[in-house]
Amino acid sequence: MVSPLAAILLIFLVLPIILIVIVSFWRATEFSIIPAFEFDNYAFLFGSSVTYTVFFNTFKYALITWVCTLLTGFTVAYYLAFHIRSLTWQIALFLLCTIPFWTSNIIRMISWIPFLGRNGIANSTLMSWGAIDEPIEWLLFSDFAVILAFVHLYTLFMVVPIFNTMMRIDKSLIEAARDAGANGAQILWNVIIPLTKPGIMIGTIFVVTLVMGDFITVRFMSGSQSANVGRLISNDIALLQYPSASATAIVLLLTVLITIGILLRFVDIRKEL
Amino acid sequence: MEPRPRSFYILSAFFMLFILFLYGPTITIGILSFQGEGGGLTFPMRGVSLYWFYDLFEQQAVGDIWGSFRRSFVLGLMVMVVTVVVSVMGGLAFRRNFPGSDILFYLIITSLVIPSILISLGVGLLFSRSGLDVHWSTSGFGSQLTWTLPFGLLIMFAVFNRFDKSFEEAARDLGATPWQTLRHVVLPIIAPSLIGVALFGFTLSYDEFARTLLTSGSYNTLPLEIYGMTTNVTSPVLYALGTLTTVFSLVIIGVFLCVALIAGRRRARQGSDAGKGGI
């Protein structure tokens, strides 16, 4: 029963990773890649100050996006789970949130252009209000635009698991807390948040890994002005520098797996499904 | 009903802002795709026309949108079928412990969290090193499965964790073979979730960009084609394409929801009358 699954994962996940590890020790010339076993790629990677800047950028994007998606996602899920009283409305509003998820990421990125551009809606509105005299340049093609796009693309990955765990909270626990004299904030902090932690963790895993592995949003929304590790890899690939792309990829993979490993200590995924 | 607290109204406003945030940009490019012939990428609208849609249907200088659409559609269907079948089989297998189940489970999680570009790079290297041609229907297909299967399996795990095993016991007690139990008891019960898995499989594949980047070979899929356009097309034809693909995605969700609805109705009609007091 599991053999097709195991076969697919073996061929398209395990073998490629092994190959990337092997190639990361190879040597690249301008024209070809040569099988070898040397640490040059890693030495170059760790010896370059660019690497540290780019890794720092990657973590920065991940952290800021995580905070924004968590706050937004939690609030939306909380509203749907505890303030909407009928199940039909809960499902309807929930579906309303998920629909944009099904359309293409690239299209959703493009759709920010008329908003954030030099002559975009945001700038012309602010100018007509007299809030600014000339267009703000940093709205599009900046770190701000990158993080805005991330939040736009990935908040749903927070809403779904958090909403899912909140819906399973026994409402009598909240009543008990209220009977015992807890106010709204106390109930939120001492009852709801602890019980929602698994959902928060699963959402965090999604958002953090998606942001850390991204290369297209950063490229598109920063106008090629900032870089994260994903872009470093894709640039190397574009230059056919597979060994150095592989070395960077392995370091990125280890970083992501370590991050996930730490997050998984807080939640037993198998139990939560 | 007790009166709504003040926080309800604040949160309602927040929720509406969130919906506006989600939909606003897409609706804006929807409107802008009807830009007049002389219009640009932002407001003001210079007239209303279908010019950019016509432009899209004419031979494009940049590539082959309709060919890539056809490829993406076929690939989406292939990925959908395999995702549903393999997820069900995997879900069934994971109901009991088997040797290596822990390793396989962690592989599934790894498959979900691994940066897409690594799959792209690795599968591309694997195919070129073993002398195979990368093609959207082989390497592209496989690398998309590494993204759709974990989703399908996680849904199946959740479904089977809530599955009442006494239905199967009853079937077995009545003398059903394992296959009959699966075909007539288990599959009908999990059918609604399978529609969800299918929807995930199709749309995740249809929109997948990063994992197909180095694995699709010389024939592009639609997301790759759109990506190509973003780098060299700066006219509202881009928005026209965006509007069309968004409408298409909505149609797909609609179709799946209708299938789910019809299946539900049929089941209700043909369902058992046990306990209803009829003869």
Side-chain angles (χ1 to χ4, degrees), chain B residues 45-60:
Chain B
M45 299 277 281
R46 297 186 198 280
V48 176
S49 74
L50 291 173
Y51 176 82
W52 301 106
F53 288 96
Y54 282 122
D55 202 45
L56 194 62
F57 279 88
E58 271 161 29
Q59 193 56 45
Q60 285 288 311

Side-chain angles (χ1 to χ4, degrees), chain A residues 101-115:
Chain A
F101 169 77
W102 303 109
T103 62
S104 160
N105 278 5
I106 298 178
I107 298 293
R108 289 170 72 194
M109 278 180 235
I110 297 169
S111 64
W112 281 107
I113 297 175
F115 263 87

Side-chain angles (χ1 to χ4, degrees), chain A residues 79 83 96 102 216 219 270, chain B residues 4 12 23 28 102 203 227:
Chain A
Y79 174 71
H83 279 284
L96 192 67
W102 303 109
I216 171 77
R219 190 196 142 148
R270 278 186 98 157
Chain B
R4 298 285 197 181
S12 299
Y23 284 83
T28 310
D102 276 340
T203 48
Y227 176 70

Side-chain angles (χ1 to χ4, degrees), chain A residues 60-70 146-147 150-151 154 158 207 211:
Chain A
K60 183 184 76 185
Y61 286 141
L63 187 69
I64 300 176
T65 310
W66 175 70
V67 172
C68 295
T69 52
L70 177 62
V146 173
I147 285 163
F150 277 140
V151 174
Y154 300 141
M158 276 293 188
V207 171
V211 172

Side-chain angles (χ1 to χ4, degrees), chain A residues 78-127:
Chain A
Y78 177 81
Y79 174 71
L80 291 179
F82 293 109
H83 279 284
I84 303 297
R85 283 164 177 166
S86 89
L87 185 66
T88 321
W89 272 103
Q90 279 178 331
I91 293 173
L93 292 179
F94 178 71
L95 280 179
L96 192 67
C97 296
T98 55
I99 286 172
F101 169 77
W102 303 109
T103 62
S104 160
N105 278 5
I106 298 178
I107 298 293
R108 289 170 72 194
M109 278 180 235
I110 297 169
S111 64
W112 281 107
I113 297 175
F115 263 87
L116 303 177
R118 210 175 180 292
N119 305 311
I121 295 172
N123 270 326
S124 40
T125 312
L126 287 174
M127 278 170 57

